[in-house]
Amino acid sequence: MRHHLFIIIFLAFAGHAFAQQTDHNFEVSKNLDIFTSLYRDLDQLYVDTIDAAQAIGTGINAMLYSLDPYTVFYPEDDVKSLRQMITGKYAGIGSLIRENLKEGCCIIDQPYRGMPADEAGLRKGDRILAIDDSTMLGKTTDYVSSHLRGDAGSTFKLKIFRPADDKEMEMNITRRSIQLPAVPYFGMVSDSIGYINLEQFTEDCAKEVRQAFLELKTRGMRSLIFDLRDNGGGSVAEAVDILNLFIPSGQTILTMKGKTPRANNEYATAAEPVDTIMPVVALVNANTASASEITAGVLQDLDRGVILGEKTFGKGLVQTTIDTPYNGQLKLTTSKYYIPSGRCIQAIDYGKKNSSVAGDTIAKTFFTRCGRIVRERGGITPDILCKSDTLTNLAYYLVSARDSSELVLSFVLDYIQAHPAIAPPATFELSDSDFNVFKKQVCDAGFKYDRQTGKYLDMLKDLAKFEGYFDDAKDEFAALEAKLTHNLDRDLDINRELLKLLIGRDIIGAYYFDEGAIEFSLRQDSQLQRAVDILNEGEYDKILLPGYDADTTVLTKTISGDTELNSPDDSPALPDPIDDEDEDGDIG
């Protein structure tokens, strides 16, 4: 009887599942018929001729955008850009460009060492006037960048204006295959602490990290600061290889779970590690995403390193590429990442109207290998929370927002013209006398910026009047308003050291390229200094003790017994997954 009851229940569930699948298939077929019928009627009856590629392309993009921002269709003409994103390779001149707001054109901002732009003698500040016979005046950085790129080996004529020499110049430049270094800088920050900056997870970046690590060991490195800040991700396979430098072979470090069995996969270390003992502190921030989050999360889950900085971005979705008719490609989200503790690092559940995992009132609790408490909030919460250095209001409007008069750029170009050589990044300082020159230029230009204190004071006065308190506090408001009176000369002095750092980095890049600018910036990096302190003062080992809880930054009761790490069954995989790293449109 029990056996017959089981059969009846099983058949009932099977019938229900079959009915659900049948209903789904009907809905798919119905809506495809509706779409085809609508477009046929539009094509035949609409008053104007419809561009099929544009109209249907808009429909496709809207459909995919309703799913998640990482599922994207690339028609044949755009497939090259997808390949560039995946590999980090393109053919061009190898230079960062940006818009000069004052002149209304794009300029060379920083050539990369040894690239065609560098070899052709292009300099910071050169205005891009024309490429072949096409004017570049008034064009966007994306437009200019697309014209600087092309097939490797192709030659074009570049016309520029060099302000330092006050003359126009023409030169022929041959494009080359460009792959920027994944590790733009590595070095020693003390006698025993090494530093590696990893900017992107592109092809062969694991080899670059390995070479840098081995080189630093020869210089006496006994602990490492691994900088993953502002790293948007890239190849998952490269992330696994990098982790394998620090983690023994044969350990499952990443699983993927999707709708179908072939979307499931797991990654394990396969080679002998380089060093499983050396202390590692990984620096992260809100722009640390995807493959870099996996790297940080695995180091944390396996208690192989301490994570320091700010909560990471929270991209735990896996994309694979699928060929489509007529030589297009679909970059499709097929599964989610899960790191060894069992956590998923995805912050937004796009299937539930963009609900946020981070917004949950109760976060799921997981445990690292030795029993430390970690929580699933989307992204990786650092073991040590340490806010990044922030810009003041004045510095933001002068540097990051780029004022329309380009005062910083003008000063930097004048400085470069007056100084054929400068001290190396480790010792370079912008002198007070040089800063005073800059300060005078800013004051003489009558530089204006949006002062938030004035805005909020006006709001507070309006609120006080509304609630009837203003008359009694009129004298206090007047005194406060006098204290907060705009004084550009004073504000520049208050921001002197910060502005000297920001301007100095811009200057250093013109002489010592990207690696020099990074080295210079590290001299006043509060997160880096906190990492150095942790490694020097014995905090590192305490943070990795069982029971440590990053939420309270105190040691809690030790958890007894071993913690099992979740790992799925073996299953065949889709093509190699890729990660979304936003490509800069201003690199030529």
Side-chain angles (χ1 to χ4, degrees):
M1 180 66 181
R2 186 177 299 172
H3 177 69
H4 292 300
L5 181 61
F6 173 77
I7 292 175
I8 292 171
I9 294 173
F10 172 78
L11 291 175
F13 275 113
H16 178 68
F18 178 76
Q20 282 188 319
Q21 185 61 43
T22 301
D23 290 344
H24 175 74
N25 291 341
F26 172 73
E27 286 297 315
V28 172
S29 178
K30 180 183 79 173
N31 283 283
L32 285 174
D33 285 345
I34 291 171
F35 182 86
T36 302
S37 176
L38 279 174
Y39 185 78
R40 183 174 58 246
D41 290 341
L42 288 171
D43 187 57
Q44 293 175 356
L45 303 174
Y46 187 69
V47 64
D48 295 321
T49 300
I50 296 175
D51 184 321
Q54 181 179 9
I56 295 178
T58 299
I60 290 172
N61 291 335
M63 175 179 63
L64 297 182
Y65 186 75
S66 71
L67 304 177
D68 67 65
Y70 311 112
T71 296
V72 181
F73 171 63
Y74 292 82
E76 182 178 8
D77 292 343
D78 294 336
V79 167
K80 184 183 291 186
S81 66
L82 174 62
R83 293 183 184 136
Q84 289 174 181
M85 182 190 73
I86 296 171
T87 64
K89 297 177 182 177
Y90 67 95
I93 67 171
S95 176
L96 191 68
I97 66 172
R98 77 163 178 89
E99 185 180 2
N100 183 322
L101 298 175
K102 183 179 180 180
E103 301 299 333
C105 64
C106 288
I107 62 171
I108 299 294
D109 193 42
Q110 184 175 301
Y112 291 102
R113 187 189 298 274
M115 301 297 180
D118 177 32
E119 294 172 352
L122 290 173
R123 301 179 192 170
K124 183 182 184 70
D126 287 345
R127 299 174 195 167
I128 301 173
L129 304 180
I131 296 175
D132 287 328
D133 295 326
S134 299
T135 180
M136 295 294 119
L137 295 177
K139 305 299 184 182
T140 65
T141 54
D142 283 345
Y143 183 91
V144 176
S145 178
S146 68
H147 282 70
L148 289 172
R149 296 183 180 191
D151 295 327
S154 61
T155 300
F156 68 96
K157 181 173 65 177
L158 178 66
K159 185 177 181 181
I160 64 166
F161 175 78
R162 180 162 292 166
D165 299 331
D166 193 27
K167 69 177 182 180
E168 293 185 1
M169 303 170 65
E170 286 189 0
M171 57 190 72
N172 292 321
I173 300 180
T174 301
R175 299 179 179 94
R176 283 210 312 259
S177 180
I178 307 292
Q179 182 170 9
L180 301 179
V183 179
Y185 173 75
F186 67 92
M188 299 293 292
V189 295
S190 75
D191 291 341
S192 62
I193 300 175
Y195 169 90
I196 296 176
N197 181 298
L198 179 63
E199 278 197 346
Q200 51 191 338
F201 285 81
T202 48
E203 288 182 2
D204 296 327
C205 71
K207 293 180 181 177
E208 290 188 45
V209 174
R210 179 188 178 91
Q211 291 168 357
F213 186 83
L214 294 175
E215 167 66 21
L216 291 174
K217 287 191 78 170
T218 66
R219 300 188 199 175
M221 176 178 68
R222 295 194 295 276
S223 55
L224 170 68
I225 297 173
F226 192 25
D227 197 343
L228 297 172
R229 293 174 296 181
D230 300 319
N231 185 319
S235 168
V236 175
E238 293 292 336
V240 174
D241 287 345
I242 288 172
L243 286 163
N244 201 170
L245 299 175
F246 311 108
I247 297 169
S249 63
Q251 295 197 29
T252 300
I253 58 175
L254 179 67
T255 63
M256 298 176 182
K257 300 177 185 179
K259 182 187 294 183
T260 64
R262 70 192 190 104
N264 299 333
N265 198 5
E266 68 176 30
Y267 286 85
T269 50
E272 287 303 311
V274 174
D275 194 309
T276 61
I277 299 173
M278 180 181 293
V280 177
V281 175
L283 304 181
V284 298
N285 64 10
N287 295 321
T288 300
S290 211
S292 54
E293 290 179 283
I294 291 169
T295 303
V298 172
L299 291 172
Q300 187 179 58
D301 280 357
L302 298 182
D303 303 300
R304 182 58 192 89
V306 167
I307 312 304
L308 184 148
E310 299 165 289
K311 187 170 175 289
T312 63
F313 181 82
K315 181 185 178 292
L317 300 178
V318 185
Q319 285 75 47
T320 57
T321 56
I322 298 175
D323 293 336
T324 64
Y326 301 99
N327 303 314
Q329 285 200 320
L330 174 64
K331 179 165 65 67
L332 176 64
T333 298
T334 53
S335 50
K336 294 180 179 179
Y337 296 122
Y338 294 85
I339 52 180
S341 64
R343 291 181 289 166
C344 178
I345 61 177
Q346 178 62 22
I348 297 176
D349 188 346
Y350 292 102
K352 296 182 179 178
K353 297 183 179 180
N354 294 352
S355 65
S356 173
V357 175
D360 291 346
T361 53
I362 301 176
K364 294 180 182 178
T365 298
F366 295 81
F367 299 97
T368 68
R369 169 160 290 176
C370 77
R372 296 190 300 143
I373 298 170
V374 288
R375 292 177 173 84
E376 184 178 75
R377 292 196 177 95
I380 301 300
T381 300
D383 300 305
I384 299 294
L385 288 168
C386 181
K387 292 292 185 182
S388 61
D389 300 316
T390 57
L391 294 181
T392 61
N393 196 36
L394 174 61
Y396 171 78
Y397 280 101
L398 267 174
V399 181
S400 289
R402 293 205 186 115
D403 71 291
S404 59
S405 52
E406 295 283 7
L407 293 168
V408 171
L409 176 65
S410 177
F411 173 78
V412 167
L413 295 181
D414 288 345
Y415 187 95
I416 293 170
Q417 177 71 5
H419 297 79
I422 61 173
T427 58
F428 175 77
E429 293 283 355
L430 189 67
S431 69
D432 283 333
S433 60
D434 288 325
F435 181 80
N436 288 336
V437 172
F438 170 73
K439 176 181 167 182
K440 184 176 186 306
Q441 291 176 357
V442 175
C443 290
D444 289 347
F447 176 71
K448 305 286 187 201
Y449 66 99
D450 193 5
R451 293 180 303 114
Q452 297 299 310
T453 51
K455 274 188 174 182
Y456 281 98
L457 179 60
D458 290 340
M459 290 170 60
L460 183 60
K461 286 165 67 175
D462 290 341
L463 187 59
K465 290 174 182 177
F466 176 74
E467 294 184 347
Y469 299 128
F470 181 75
D471 288 339
D472 290 340
K474 190 178 294 184
D475 292 340
E476 286 81 357
F477 272 111
L480 184 57
E481 192 167 13
K483 289 281 187 182
L484 299 178
T485 299
H486 179 59
N487 185 323
L488 183 59
D489 186 275
R490 180 194 62 195
D491 291 347
L492 286 166
D493 277 334
I494 292 173
N495 288 270
R496 176 179 292 263
E497 294 308 314
L498 174 59
L499 289 172
K500 284 171 65 176
L501 173 67
L502 296 172
I503 297 170
R505 177 183 171 115
D506 212 12
I507 291 171
I508 281 285
Y511 294 87
Y512 297 102
F513 302 95
D514 197 28
E515 60 265 35
I518 294 172
E519 182 183 2
F520 177 78
S521 297
L522 294 178
R523 290 163 48 186
Q524 297 187 47
D525 186 326
S526 61
Q527 289 177 327
L528 178 80
Q529 188 54 55
R530 182 75 176 95
V532 170
D533 293 341
I534 286 172
L535 291 167
N536 281 336
E537 296 174 6
E539 287 184 72
Y540 181 88
D541 292 332
K542 294 178 182 177
I543 295 168
L544 295 178
L545 286 175
Y548 182 86
D549 186 344
D551 272 9
T552 58
T553 62
V554 297
L555 295 177
T556 59
K557 183 178 179 181
T558 301
I559 299 169
S560 60
D562 293 332
T563 302
E564 286 293 322
L565 301 181
N566 298 332
S567 59
D569 296 331
D570 289 334
S571 58
L574 285 165
D576 286 342
I578 59 173
D579 235 357
D580 280 298
E581 180 190 3
D582 290 335
E583 178 187 352
D584 290 333
D586 54 357
I587 298 178

